[in-house]
Amino acid sequence: MATNRKRRAKKCPDCNGTGETAETVRVGSVRKSRETTDQQAALCLTCFGTGDAPTD
């Protein structure tokens, strides 16, 4: 009897399979906001942090 192997899910194209993306930090009020050179990690909204590509 042959065993079926589960296929590995494809990596998410937005986060490359890590589940996180880097976002630029903005400072200041909404009217005068400016971007800094700092970045912070954020949850990938395409795969919701799983790292797997969406099937749809």
Side-chain angles (χ1 to χ4, degrees), residues 9-19 44 46-48 50-54:
K10 294 181 181 177
K11 290 183 179 180
C12 176
D14 293 343
C15 66
N16 295 324
T18 62
C44 178
T46 304
C47 66
F48 295 107
T50 62
D52 299 335

Side-chain angles (χ1 to χ4, degrees), residues 17-50:
T18 62
E20 291 185 347
T21 58
E23 293 292 327
T24 303
V25 176
R26 293 181 178 91
V27 295
S29 66
V30 177
R31 191 169 61 91
K32 291 185 173 182
S33 67
R34 62 182 172 91
E35 295 180 354
T36 64
T37 57
D38 300 322
Q39 290 191 341
Q40 62 185 13
L43 184 70
C44 178
L45 297 178
T46 304
C47 66
F48 295 107
T50 62

